[in-house]
Amino acid sequence: MNQLVGHTPAKAVRYKNLPTSQNICLDTNLRHYAVFEDGQVEIRSYDDLMGATTAK
Amino acid sequence: MRWLILPDAHDKILRANQIIERESHDHLLLLGDFFDDFRTGVTDAADTARQVKRWLNAPNTTCLLGNHDMSYGWGRQNRRLICPGYDAAKWITINGNLTNRDWQKFKLYAWLEGGERPWLVTHAGLHPCWLEGTEPGRYREFIDKLCADAWDSLNRGEHHFLLGRASAAPVIRRSAGSTGLTGMNWFPFPA
């Protein structure tokens, strides 16, 4: 079983990979968020999103 | 199914909505702690409460319960749930917007399926010690039952170790030790 959580803020997303689980803490004061699709978690950046949409 | 997952907003509703509007998704999953940015006040809490109410009642949207949300929803029934940042004036405005029916729409966890292993999504995480003695194949059944019990306790105004801070959590597993063990709305991510 893997776990995805918030709660503990830091500047970067944190990963703790163990033999039987992946664990991700996503809380960076909303500088990052995640997309889950087809069984895969992808971490994305607010700054990248806003830069991409502003540039369009 | 494409899930968009946003962590703790803490009154940053504009930023949250910028992400939601720009990132395509089928289901929105919010990890809780909507309230209590320490630099914001009652007006921000009111704005946040109105948005949270919309999310709680929106289709394809799941709001997980964070410790700072629990503080305003259940803190008056159980003072041990009150968080730093709690403010009585905010309580009034938040609960002027969110009814008991709204609070009951929060969830303690969500499962994401489709990969090699399922993902348990909670506000702060479930310490592995709580799973000791449970076969990995029965984790889901065990966690579903544990969270249902915790939710019932919360609504009765009773303490439940799964929603408690370290000092309040009983040692039910030998390896857990007597300190540093918190419930899944408080558990600090290990450094």
Side-chain angles (χ1 to χ4, degrees):
Chain A
M1 181 183 80
N2 302 319
Q3 294 200 56
L4 178 61
V5 303
H7 181 65
T8 310
K11 288 184 177 175
V13 173
R14 281 129 296 146
Y15 301 85
K16 196 165 186 73
N17 291 320
L18 301 172
T20 58
S21 69
Q22 288 177 267
N23 302 275
I24 300 174
C25 181
L26 198 53
D27 184 4
T28 60
N29 294 307
L30 268 189
R31 282 191 288 265
H32 296 88
Y33 59 95
V35 171
F36 181 85
E37 190 170 29
D38 298 329
Q40 300 296 315
V41 175
E42 184 183 346
I43 306 301
R44 296 194 168 194
S45 154
Y46 168 82
D47 288 341
D48 290 348
L49 177 72
M50 297 307 289
T53 52
T54 303
K56 281 180 182 173
Chain B
M1 171 78 81
R2 183 179 170 87
W3 293 70
L4 173 60
I5 304 162
L6 267 60
D8 313 41
H10 287 299
D11 285 335
K12 292 184 279 295
I13 296 303
L14 174 63
R15 179 176 283 234
N17 277 325
Q18 286 174 325
I19 298 170
I20 293 164
E21 287 164 10
R22 287 166 173 77
E23 190 69 72
S24 67
H25 59 279
D26 303 305
H27 195 107
L28 175 62
L29 174 55
L30 299 142
L31 301 190
D33 271 7
F34 299 95
F35 301 107
D36 282 347
D37 184 313
F38 293 95
R39 292 161 294 186
T40 56
V42 174
T43 305
D44 303 279
D47 292 342
T48 300
R50 283 190 285 270
Q51 177 60 76
V52 169
K53 188 180 183 80
R54 287 193 288 272
W55 282 330
L56 285 167
N57 291 284
N60 304 320
T61 301
T62 301
C63 296
L64 299 186
L65 185 67
N67 51 315
H68 286 269
D69 314 314
M70 201 162 54
S71 182
Y72 291 103
W74 288 267
R76 289 206 173 177
Q77 293 103 302
N78 180 354
R79 306 295 292 182
R80 292 156 82 176
L81 298 178
I82 288 181
C83 274
Y86 175 88
D87 180 295
K90 286 191 206 171
W91 185 96
I92 292 169
T93 193
I94 290 167
N95 283 282
N97 284 283
L98 297 183
T99 63
N100 185 52
R101 196 171 180 173
D102 295 321
W103 286 111
Q104 292 300 316
K105 291 177 179 171
F106 277 95
K107 306 293 181 194
L108 291 178
Y109 66 108
W111 291 103
L112 299 179
E113 302 282 0
E116 184 184 345
R117 288 183 288 257
W119 286 83
L120 174 66
V121 188
T122 60
H123 175 63
L126 186 71
H127 194 287
C129 72
W130 301 123
L131 300 170
E132 278 181 22
T134 305
E135 293 292 322
R138 302 195 69 180
Y139 280 172
R140 183 167 183 156
E141 178 188 351
F142 180 79
I143 291 166
D144 289 347
K145 173 73 168 60
L146 197 59
C147 288
D149 289 346
W151 188 255
D152 287 345
S153 295
L154 184 66
N155 283 308
R156 286 195 301 266
E158 297 169 2
H159 194 74
H160 191 284
F161 64 88
L162 201 61
L163 302 177
R165 295 194 227 195
S167 59
V171 179
I172 65 164
R173 308 286 186 185
R174 184 170 296 174
S175 69
S178 58
T179 59
L181 182 61
T182 58
M184 66 183 204
N185 283 16
W186 302 88
F187 182 60
F189 195 77

